[in-house]
Amino acid sequence: MPDWLLYTGSRLPHGGVDRLPPPPPWRAFDGEPVLPSPAGGSGNEHQATTYRPSDDAVRQVNAALYLRRPLLVTGPPGTGKSTLAYAVAHELGLGPVLHWPITSRTTLRDGLYQYDPLTRLYAAGRDDAPSEEDIGRYIRLGPLGTALLPYGRPRVLLVDEIDKSDIDLPNDLLTIFEKGEYEIPELTRRADPSAEVMTADGPGARVTVAAGTVRCRAFPMVVMTSNGEREFPPAFLRRCVTVELRQPSGDAELSAIVREHLGPLADQSDDLVRRFLERSTAGTLATDQLLNAVYLCRHADTEDRRALADRIMPYLTGPIDDD
């Protein structure tokens, strides 16, 4: 592997991210106080330790890390677009992945933070009502908002299926990614705009936001996935590093993936791998369908493995299977 690669795809945890050079001058951020990386694994250790990235994916991940730019990952279902984020977090020891699933109703505010005024109003009427200084109990940072905290090492943020978003979200994200910061108006309007707010890292995780503003220090490793259901504006693409993942091809590559995931259960699965390849010539299939078929056929009491596998591997696009 070339020495410049921090993420190598080896699946072995290491501290290579500490060799990351200073950012380009136009991508430098100075948020403070500097926060330590959260403890814990990526959040999906099986996927992270069995993922086999392509050489192109490894190069583009490193380009995104060096340039402090988001990575836009495209490709058919089942090619490991989301898993790539967990693999990077696992190998570089960057803590739990912050997962932000996107729908057509998702707004930028959903990713940044949520404020719960109704609960606060209810609490104000109780005898044990918290003081004005406790507003942080009603503010929870979202996955994007948490990723932009001033961590000393980049957090990994998975923006899943961004192609399903409202048409305005990609441009809204551009502004945030360029600035590397955002305001919380509910704090900036107060006489004391600082508060200890909750984060997306789970119950009990809290951090102090000063002056009502969150500004990053290490720009997060943002992995945005797309199934190609829409095109993105040129301005958005220009500010992203892009990589397209492909479906595994050939008996050897698929068999290696099955062995990585299923170990001894993958023994005597060559016939199912061949059947998967045969069927994939007539319609779209995903690798996880093959894994499901191999696992089930090893446990199901049936002599007709082929028929059972076909039912577990329906086409995602293309002809409908009439069997």
Side-chain angles (χ1 to χ4, degrees):
M1 283 287 181
D3 289 342
W4 76 280
L5 296 180
L6 308 177
Y7 170 67
T8 65
S10 68
R11 297 168 288 177
L12 300 175
H14 58 80
V17 73
D18 294 329
R19 295 191 289 111
L20 189 64
W26 55 90
R27 296 297 294 162
F29 304 99
D30 57 1
E32 56 183 22
V34 181
L35 300 176
S37 299
S42 68
N44 194 336
E45 298 310 298
H46 174 77
Q47 293 289 346
T49 56
T50 56
Y51 184 64
R52 300 166 61 91
S54 65
D55 290 343
D56 189 42
V58 170
R59 284 191 296 267
Q60 295 303 84
V61 165
N62 283 277
L65 284 167
Y66 275 75
L67 298 174
R68 277 70 169 183
R69 290 292 185 185
L71 179 69
L72 178 62
V73 186
T74 60
T79 51
K81 298 186 295 296
S82 300
T83 305
L84 179 59
Y86 293 93
V88 173
H90 170 79
E91 182 179 324
L92 297 182
L94 299 179
V97 171
L98 295 160
H99 183 206
W100 186 21
I102 303 298
T103 72
S104 60
R105 300 180 299 278
T106 301
T107 66
L108 180 65
R109 170 72 176 265
D110 296 328
L112 291 176
Y113 74 96
Q114 293 179 337
Y115 172 58
D116 188 356
L118 294 179
T119 301
R120 187 182 178 203
L121 182 63
Y122 172 76
R126 300 198 316 259
D127 292 338
D128 60 343
S131 68
E132 177 69 11
E133 302 307 314
D134 292 324
I135 187 175
R137 296 174 56 182
Y138 311 104
I139 296 175
R140 183 184 297 277
L141 303 186
L144 172 59
T146 300
L148 290 172
L149 287 167
Y151 292 105
R153 305 168 88 200
R155 291 295 302 270
V156 178
L157 171 66
L158 171 59
V159 185
D160 218 359
E161 299 190 328
I162 191 173
D163 51 328
K164 288 183 166 56
S165 73
D166 176 85
I167 192 171
D168 293 325
L169 183 60
N171 285 328
D172 291 341
L173 284 173
L174 274 187
T175 302
I176 292 295
F177 290 155
E178 290 302 301
K179 294 173 60 179
E181 68 177 34
Y182 64 96
E183 287 189 349
I184 301 178
E186 290 79 4
L187 293 182
T188 58
R189 290 195 293 260
R190 302 172 73 237
D192 180 3
S194 298
E196 190 179 54
V197 304
M198 298 178 286
T199 76
D201 281 316
R206 300 187 69 171
V207 67
T208 298
V209 173
T213 300
V214 174
R215 180 172 175 81
C216 75
R217 190 171 190 91
F219 188 78
M221 177 65 211
V222 181
V223 177
M224 300 183 293
T225 71
S226 169
N227 291 320
E229 295 184 7
R230 60 177 287 191
E231 295 184 354
F232 296 102
F236 180 79
L237 295 175
R238 180 166 60 89
R239 290 171 173 86
C240 295
V241 175
T242 61
V243 62
E244 183 174 2
L245 304 186
R246 62 172 181 80
Q247 289 281 15
S249 60
D251 293 30
E253 188 175 0
L254 279 169
S255 294
I257 291 173
V258 173
R259 286 193 302 272
E260 289 282 359
H261 283 272
L262 295 175
L265 291 178
D267 293 344
Q268 299 180 342
S269 62
D270 291 349
D271 60 328
L272 299 180
V273 170
R274 288 192 296 271
R275 181 56 178 166
F276 178 87
L277 289 171
E278 290 172 4
R279 287 172 54 77
S280 63
T281 61
T284 301
L285 296 174
T287 308
D288 53 359
Q289 293 175 291
L290 172 61
L291 296 175
N292 289 335
V294 172
Y295 178 86
L296 185 60
C297 286
R298 281 302 304 269
H299 290 89
D301 184 15
T302 178
E303 295 182 358
D304 196 346
R305 285 159 49 98
R306 174 169 167 154
L308 178 59
D310 286 358
R311 299 301 297 172
I312 300 301
M313 300 189 297
Y315 290 117
L316 305 178
T317 62
I320 298 175
D321 189 357
D322 294 329
D323 290 349

